[in-house]
Amino acid sequence: MTWTVAYARDHDAAPLDDGRPLRWPFPGTGAGVTTPEGLDFEALLARCEAEPIHAPGAIQPHGALLAIDDDGTIVAASANTGGVFGVDAALLLGATLPQILGSAQAGAVLAEDRFEVVTIEARGVTLDVVTHESAQPLLIELEPSSEVELGDHWRLYRALRGFHGSATVAQVLAGAVRTVRELTGFDRVMLYDFDDEWNGEVVAEDAAVGMDRFLGLRYPASDIPPQARALYLRNLLRLIPDATAQPVPLLTAATDPAELDLSDVALRAVSPVHLAYLANMGVRASMSVAIVIDDQLWGLIACHHLTGPLRPSLRVRNAVELVAQTTSTVLAALLASQGAGARVQLLRDVDDLRQQLQHGDHTDLAAAAADLGPGLTGLLDGDGAAVVSGSGTRLVGACPSRALIAGFVEHARSVGGPVVASDFLGQIDGAWAAEADVAAGALAARVGDGGDLWLLWFRPETARTVRWGGDPNSKEIGVDDAGRARLGPRSSFQEWVEQVRGRSAAWTDEQLEAAQLLARALADTYAARARRDSEVAATLQRTLMVERFPPIPDVDGAARYRPSSRQPIGGDWYDVYFRPDGRPIVALGDVAGHGIEAAATMAELRHTLRAYLLRERTPAAAMSRLNDLMITLMPQEMATAVLVELDPRAHTATIINAGHLPPVLVDQDGARLVDEHHDVALGVRATSYTTTHLELSPGSSLVLYSDGLIERRDRSIDDSFALLLGEAAGQAGTTADQLCDHLVGRMAVGSDSEDDITVVALHLPLAALPVAERG
């Protein structure tokens, strides 16, 4: 028996383990709902989210699975091995892999230096094999070759090269779905972007002619439960070639098959709930691939096939994983670039307000903050602001009643933390609904540690329409084999439109940070008026520097940055760009001066250079364009920069130097300065920049650095260069991380420099070269 039941969202409920607030009502809630009597919906939800999908005790039937213990004995096998490669599963238990496949084939499967996918012949059947070495016992997947094969590998190369030429997020997402569909042949490929509550929105789509379009539709978080999302971080790709196929049980010698952890196994059987979900959608075959940014699940590439089963080969799936990983890398860079501009502007605005506070003559903190006026409300795009202190409440702009303001301050005080924000005040207190046209959302920042002074911002309601891919409140309740009620999948997939009222625009992370910084500035200014607050400076420097050195194929790269203890904001910067043909370019530069203006100039140069490198024919031409820009738009500024275009396969580097210190080449012969061409700095005068072509030997390293590394009051520049070359030569053959750590550690000892220090090392490992060229 199956019932259809609606559930309600309660954003004030206790969050689940994954941070998603969701609460199910008791039976009978919701208009037109038919529910069985006596069901505990909280228990149903908990049972659904506790389903052990990582250990189903079965696999999908398009391949076979073997488990081998430390002694080399097969201790588990899927029941379909006879159909896959001609040996009955009962005969496998207790045998060894060489006894079943032969010594040569077994050796290829178990070889330590093998590739991820190994192709073998077993009793006349060609099998693609994947071994999961980290699992205990050892798990081996065997899958017959598929008709959906990679074929022309140049398609993948051209697609990946196209990613690096993408200048916008939309281009990256569109390229990802188009490439995956070309590689696999699925009827529809979509890319979901998850929001903070794990609802997914289709932000890119590529579909066959005549297919319904899902672009712009949203899907509720409950469609992908928390344990399924967690598995995507371990196993990026999930394939279901035939949703109607019956699962194949595992046979084991002693243990319960359900105790075998199949988290990393692609053949892992599918939850019946998810199979029912696909059936409700009319989907016969599906595949999902994770988009992961900063070790967090950002979204999914979802593939659907309606016309029949579809099984892309293991190599095609590996290619799709590569596409997803490339998408993640390029997407992360573009999103970071977008966020940097917003951060810079907000931090500039915070610094302007700080200057007003420092030059004001108020002795009362609340009065000083209220006198900021439109600058205070405009900082966070609010229509109104309030300053609440023990002496009263001061209002700026359009504000709700003082009673509601006091209630939100009490709410913020009970929540704790320096900043508390809500875009749905009606959830906290129903009285806010009457003033939604003035304040549907609010942000409160505590000033100081006492909790007596608060800054608040208010935003009015922003009514909006949300298009769902089906009614998100519709679920099925079924009965499992034990006769217990079980939560089923959604059955509604027709577009369902929701009118969202009573909410304001969401507060961004950058705005939360800016509110916190302003509150700190207000407290610090009056705690010690003579001392400028360096928090904005330090935060700005961190947000503008690359947090982790971006990965470059076939190159071991690393960077180290150490700010000056005297000047929190410096002009150093480094970045990694990719040309449209896929070649990486590493840049390091230094803007003259210190402070927020120097950092802002640095940010503008970095992001403008990215655009020029995508558009201009050569890196030298891009450098010339950047120089022209500085002369025209920044006549008072000057900067140095060095670009290195790498071709690891050809073992070459092309260097363009605009007034910067010469790179250092480290190889088996020692270390030397690369100073063949040294053109003028950016912003000095119009010029055309020249290039230096450098041959890189196996195991060599190229070091870029800022002047903070070598400039010392007690040492001549020639002595500093000699010391640098000596220290670098002693590190020949080490990794990029080791080389960076050594140079910063040795060269910065006893440093009295007022400048920041940046070191970038690019090491060409022996393993990146063809075997015949390794030393």
Side-chain angles (χ1 to χ4, degrees):
M1 181 179 296
T2 301
W3 298 276
T4 301
V5 61
Y7 64 89
R9 296 171 184 269
D10 180 356
H11 294 272
D12 200 29
L16 301 173
D17 290 341
D18 67 349
R20 172 173 55 86
L22 188 65
R23 176 169 290 173
W24 293 72
F26 291 101
T29 59
V33 175
T34 303
T35 61
E37 294 297 327
L39 286 183
D40 184 343
F41 287 90
E42 294 283 358
L44 288 179
L45 178 61
R47 190 182 307 159
C48 176
E49 296 185 345
E51 181 184 1
I53 61 175
H54 67 290
I59 65 167
Q60 299 182 72
H62 61 278
L65 182 69
L66 301 177
I68 301 177
D69 65 10
D70 294 337
D71 297 328
T73 302
I74 299 174
V75 294
S78 57
N80 63 340
T81 56
V84 174
F85 58 89
V87 181
D88 187 83
L91 300 177
L92 294 175
L93 299 180
T96 65
L97 201 61
Q99 290 173 340
I100 302 303
L101 301 179
S103 298
Q105 302 286 47
V109 172
L110 300 174
E112 293 183 359
D113 60 348
R114 62 174 175 75
F115 291 102
E116 184 175 354
V117 179
V118 176
T119 300
I120 65 171
E121 294 289 333
R123 290 170 170 76
V125 180
T126 301
L127 298 171
D128 291 332
V129 183
V130 173
T131 302
H132 302 282
E133 297 175 344
S134 61
Q136 293 295 330
L138 186 74
L139 298 175
I140 301 175
E141 298 185 71
L142 306 98
E143 188 174 325
S145 298
S146 169
E147 294 181 359
V148 186
E149 188 50 85
L150 186 58
D152 179 11
H153 68 280
W154 286 106
R155 286 186 299 159
L156 179 61
Y157 168 76
R158 288 193 297 269
L160 295 180
R161 184 179 64 181
F163 275 103
H164 294 301
S166 299
T168 66
V169 170
Q171 289 175 348
V172 172
L173 302 182
V177 295
R178 181 178 63 251
T179 302
V180 170
R181 185 161 178 262
E182 288 176 353
L183 290 172
T184 61
F186 277 94
D187 290 335
R188 175 188 289 112
V189 178
M190 302 170 287
L191 197 149
Y192 295 90
D193 172 13
F194 291 123
D195 65 15
D196 292 339
E197 294 182 358
W198 295 109
N199 302 306
E201 179 180 359
V202 180
V203 291
E205 180 184 31
D206 192 278
V209 176
M211 298 285 289
D212 292 335
R213 296 292 172 170
F214 293 165
L215 186 64
L217 296 183
R218 293 169 63 86
Y219 292 86
S222 56
D223 280 6
I224 307 176
Q227 71 271 40
R229 293 195 294 268
L231 283 176
Y232 278 115
L233 295 177
R234 293 188 57 171
N235 198 350
L236 294 180
L237 187 145
R238 180 69 161 139
L239 172 69
I240 305 172
D242 187 353
T244 66
Q246 293 299 311
V248 176
L250 296 177
L251 305 181
T252 62
T255 61
D256 182 352
E259 296 179 1
L260 196 59
D261 188 346
L262 304 184
S263 295
D264 298 323
V265 174
L267 290 170
R268 184 180 72 249
V270 187
S271 165
V273 175
H274 185 61
L275 292 176
Y277 177 89
L278 295 177
N280 290 346
M281 289 189 73
V283 173
R284 184 69 180 272
S286 77
M287 186 173 74
S288 301
V289 200
I291 302 296
V292 179
I293 296 180
D294 293 333
D295 299 324
Q296 299 292 323
L297 187 62
W298 184 89
L300 283 178
I301 299 175
C303 311
H304 290 166
H305 205 63
L306 280 63
T307 52
L310 184 66
R311 182 169 64 91
S313 73
L314 274 167
R315 286 178 176 79
V316 170
R317 278 132 59 189
N318 283 348
V320 170
E321 282 197 30
L322 181 58
V323 170
Q325 290 168 349
T326 303
T327 300
S328 300
T329 299
V330 178
L331 188 60
L334 288 174
L335 292 174
S337 178
Q338 290 179 355
R343 284 189 176 94
V344 167
Q345 187 56 54
L346 275 170
L347 292 169
R348 277 179 168 173
D349 292 344
V350 169
D351 198 57
D352 287 344
L353 295 177
R354 177 210 299 273
Q355 295 291 337
Q356 294 181 46
L357 290 171
Q358 286 185 330
H359 292 93
D361 55 3
H362 285 287
T363 57
D364 178 75
L365 292 179
D371 267 6
L372 295 174
L376 180 63
T377 57
L379 176 68
L380 303 187
D381 294 330
D383 282 12
V387 183
V388 178
S389 67
S391 59
T393 299
R394 294 171 173 84
L395 307 180
V396 181
C399 296
S401 68
R402 282 178 164 79
L404 286 177
I405 292 174
F408 188 71
V409 169
E410 287 305 312
H411 168 74
R413 187 177 284 114
S414 66
V415 171
V419 176
V420 175
S422 170
D423 61 0
F424 191 10
L425 291 172
Q427 206 176 39
I428 299 172
D429 185 340
W432 282 98
E435 299 198 43
D437 58 333
V438 174
L443 183 153
R446 187 180 67 237
V447 179
D449 297 327
D452 293 330
L453 180 62
W454 293 81
L455 298 179
L456 292 94
W457 288 264
F458 305 104
R459 286 177 176 172
E461 172 190 70
T462 302
R464 60 188 185 273
T465 299
V466 178
R467 298 168 55 227
W468 294 91
D471 184 351
N473 303 322
S474 174
K475 285 284 186 179
E476 290 183 353
I477 305 296
V479 179
D480 62 18
D481 295 338
R484 300 180 304 174
R486 182 186 67 189
L487 191 63
R490 284 194 301 125
S491 57
S492 168
F493 294 96
Q494 295 297 318
E495 182 174 334
W496 188 83
V497 178
E498 178 186 14
Q499 298 296 328
V500 178
R501 300 298 303 269
R503 287 179 177 270
S504 72
W507 305 94
T508 67
D509 291 340
E510 292 82 9
Q511 290 168 339
L512 298 180
E513 179 186 19
Q516 184 176 353
L517 287 174
L518 181 61
R520 289 181 183 176
L522 184 61
D524 292 347
T525 297
Y526 286 85
R529 294 184 64 97
R531 176 178 56 88
R532 285 184 57 88
D533 177 24
S534 63
E535 187 64 24
V536 172
T539 302
L540 176 59
Q541 189 70 48
R542 288 196 300 270
T543 59
L544 294 177
M545 293 298 289
V546 179
E547 187 172 344
R548 290 181 294 182
F549 194 87
I552 301 176
D554 299 323
V555 174
D556 173 23
R560 296 293 183 271
Y561 174 76
R562 198 178 84 170
S564 166
S565 59
R566 304 185 186 185
Q567 296 286 348
I569 292 185
D572 283 7
W573 62 275
Y574 69 90
D575 211 337
V576 177
Y577 310 97
F578 289 91
R579 298 272 290 162
D581 61 1
R583 289 191 181 184
I585 293 181
V586 180
L588 188 146
D590 187 2
V591 176
H594 300 88
I596 290 179
E597 289 302 321
T601 300
M602 174 259 283
E604 293 174 7
L605 293 182
R606 279 180 57 201
H607 300 312
T608 303
L609 180 60
R610 179 185 298 277
Y612 287 164
L613 286 171
L614 289 174
R615 297 171 187 168
E616 296 298 325
R617 187 173 56 85
T618 65
M623 187 77 92
S624 296
R625 284 285 304 277
L626 193 64
N627 183 51
D628 293 341
L629 175 75
M630 286 198 66
I631 293 173
T632 304
L633 300 181
M634 308 174 190
Q636 306 302 319
E637 304 291 345
M638 186 185 75
T640 65
V642 58
L643 304 182
V644 178
E645 183 180 37
L646 294 169
D647 190 342
R649 299 290 183 177
H651 321 148
T652 62
T654 300
I655 302 173
I656 301 95
N657 193 325
H660 202 78
L661 295 168
V664 174
L665 177 63
V666 185
D667 55 25
Q668 63 271 21
D669 296 327
R672 69 177 178 87
L673 298 176
V674 182
D675 201 20
E676 282 78 359
H677 294 290
H678 192 100
D679 293 317
V680 298
L682 297 168
V684 175
R685 58 178 170 80
T687 186
S688 297
Y689 287 91
T690 54
T691 59
T692 297
H693 297 285
L694 189 65
E695 297 291 330
L696 301 175
S697 59
S700 63
S701 298
L702 197 61
V703 180
L704 313 178
Y705 52 97
S706 63
D707 52 11
L709 185 70
I710 63 171
E711 288 185 353
R712 298 292 180 273
R713 294 178 181 176
D714 59 349
R715 192 168 63 213
S716 70
I717 192 67
D718 289 336
D719 288 342
S720 290
F721 276 131
L723 179 61
L724 174 62
L725 293 177
E727 294 294 343
Q731 295 298 302
T734 62
T735 67
D737 277 313
Q738 291 170 333
L739 183 54
C740 283
D741 288 337
H742 180 82
L743 292 180
V744 172
R746 295 290 295 174
M747 298 295 294
V749 172
S751 171
D752 61 351
S753 172
E754 296 184 3
D755 209 353
D756 44 349
I757 296 173
T758 304
V759 177
V760 174
L762 307 170
H763 177 64
L764 191 64
L766 296 176
L769 303 175
V771 175
E773 300 182 23
R774 297 180 187 174

